[in-house]
Amino acid sequence: MAPTPTPPAQPDDDPDAYVGLAADGAEQLARERGWSTVRSLPPGAIITMEYLEGRLNFEVEGGTVIRCWPG
């Protein structure tokens, strides 16, 4: 049987630090800090509950991050 793969470690980063930043700048900063996937969503967007290691989600309103969470 093949060994279970170990996912890469998630960046040691505080998602709350992105709240209030411009979405474009926040995305660039997140990638610089090691997030492999950054997803911007409008407020109230319907999304699945799948958890993806290394992904950072932004809820963006008026070009500003209003909420941020990993996965």
Side-chain angles (χ1 to χ4, degrees), residues 9-52:
Q10 204 160 266
D12 184 23
D13 197 12
D14 179 16
D16 290 334
Y18 296 93
V19 175
L21 299 178
D24 291 342
E27 182 175 344
Q28 182 178 356
L29 182 60
R31 292 186 188 284
E32 289 172 2
R33 291 183 175 173
W35 294 98
S36 58
T37 305
V38 180
R39 179 168 69 169
S40 293
L41 304 160
I46 297 172
I47 58 173
T48 64
M49 294 301 293
E50 68 182 338
Y51 185 89
L52 181 61

Side-chain angles (χ1 to χ4, degrees), residues 39-47 58-62 66-67 69:
R39 179 168 69 169
S40 293
L41 304 160
I46 297 172
I47 58 173
F58 293 146
E59 187 171 348
V60 178
E61 184 171 44
I66 60 171
R67 182 175 165 232
W69 68 98

